[in-house]
Amino acid sequence: MVSIHQRIYRDIETRIMSGDWQPGQRIPIEHELATEYRCSRMTVNKALSALAERGMIVRRRKAGSFVATQQIDRTVMDIQDISTEAELAGYQHDYRMLMRRIERLDASDAALLREPAGVEILRLQCLHMVDGKPNAIERRIIMLDAVPLARDETFASVPPAKWLLEQVPWSKARHIIRAVSADAATARLLETERGEACLTLIRQTWQNGGTVTYVEITHPGDRFQFAGDFQPTEKDASDHMARRSAT
């Protein structure tokens, strides 16, 4: 026999999967569902918690529950551009350039990048859209001594990351993934609420010891996730077998 919380779970799941309830749509609040199913709010909460854990809904304090927007997986250690990731996942990608400026590397950024202050850089800011919704803010520095062709590149038809991957080889990269809260400017561009959770990927790439580019890419937390599949190397496997033998 199906329990009430399982029936609530399945009914909501069906409405979402069928498209009756669209991404971003608010679903009935707990006491409305409790009245509809003639059960306690605790039972409704159990069903909603299971749906949130599965990633089908997003629960926001004092605001209610909403159908989750579909997420794009980014493989953690790959260097890909957002446009390629979106297309591989079957989504429509678009972007617009918000700022493009040639300037000198200031002292704070020089310390961050561990590069000499005063060298010429190209500073970019882009907004990426996936299926018509804001998906990422890209804030990028390109070192013009490493990538002189970028000086005259408008990036009108090709996003910066894709252009760089096609133009410049890299020999080393570092990734940092950080949880941040959306400030006012980020919330406005990503069409979310100030203080909402976001994921920021920080990436720096080098060629022959010199920085090629440094970028911070910020995604709304409910529209993106990082994922990766790993397997042990031969050394890891042999070490594991050695430990088992020793015990």
Side-chain angles (χ1 to χ4, degrees):
M1 182 176 179
V2 178
S3 66
I4 296 177
H5 92 267
Q6 288 174 326
R7 183 155 60 92
I8 296 170
Y9 178 101
R10 291 180 183 178
D11 286 352
I12 294 175
E13 178 188 45
T14 298
R15 291 176 185 178
I16 293 173
M17 297 299 289
S18 67
D20 287 345
W21 289 353
Q22 293 294 309
Q25 181 176 338
R26 182 176 175 176
I27 70 173
I29 58 179
E30 282 189 12
H31 78 77
E32 292 174 340
L33 290 169
T35 300
E36 179 181 350
Y37 287 91
R38 298 181 181 179
C39 64
S40 68
R41 289 184 61 177
M42 185 178 297
T43 299
V44 172
N45 185 273
K46 186 176 181 180
L48 296 182
S49 295
L51 288 161
E53 185 174 343
R54 187 180 164 190
M56 298 198 72
I57 66 171
V58 176
R59 307 188 75 184
R60 296 175 181 165
R61 188 179 179 185
K62 297 183 179 180
S65 299
F66 300 80
V67 178
T69 55
Q70 293 200 359
Q71 294 181 324
I72 296 176
D73 287 352
R74 168 174 291 174
T75 302
V76 177
M77 298 310 296
D78 280 353
I79 293 187
Q80 287 189 346
D81 66 285
I82 296 171
S83 62
T84 299
E85 290 166 350
E87 289 162 6
L88 289 174
Y91 302 119
Q92 178 68 39
H93 171 268
D94 195 11
Y95 82 103
R96 70 174 185 262
M97 187 68 65
L98 303 177
M99 185 265 288
R100 182 190 184 282
R101 187 169 65 225
I102 293 175
E103 58 186 55
R104 298 281 178 177
L105 191 66
D106 61 30
S108 60
D109 284 335
L112 176 68
L113 274 58
R114 297 185 179 179
E115 296 289 346
V119 298
E120 279 196 313
I121 62 170
L122 177 62
R123 191 182 296 274
L124 305 172
Q125 182 169 313
C126 312
L127 179 64
H128 293 266
M129 313 285 290
V130 173
D131 281 354
K133 293 184 177 180
N135 181 267
I137 301 170
E138 175 181 344
R139 299 180 175 98
R140 181 181 296 274
I141 292 172
I142 299 175
M143 307 298 289
L144 289 177
D145 59 346
V147 196
L149 289 175
R151 181 182 297 274
D152 299 318
E153 177 58 49
T154 64
F155 305 104
S157 58
V158 182
K162 190 169 188 174
W163 184 88
L164 284 165
L165 286 170
E166 292 172 351
Q167 296 289 332
V168 187
W170 56 274
S171 56
K172 178 184 173 183
R174 176 184 294 140
H175 286 176
I176 300 171
I177 300 169
R178 184 175 294 162
V180 299
S181 297
D183 58 21
T186 298
R188 176 176 54 81
L189 289 171
L190 293 179
E191 297 179 8
T192 187
E193 297 296 324
R194 184 173 183 175
E196 280 293 307
C198 295
L199 287 173
T200 294
L201 169 67
I202 302 169
R203 176 194 294 151
Q204 188 170 357
T205 57
W206 291 265
Q207 181 188 40
N208 300 324
T211 299
V212 174
T213 187
Y214 171 89
V215 64
E216 296 182 2
I217 303 174
T218 301
H219 301 271
D222 62 346
R223 298 172 217 165
F224 202 86
Q225 64 185 14
F226 292 94
D229 295 320
F230 303 92
Q231 62 185 34
T233 63
E234 290 183 7
K235 182 180 183 302
D236 293 332
S238 62
D239 287 349
H240 178 65
M241 290 303 294
R243 285 195 297 272
R244 288 187 59 187
S245 298
T247 57

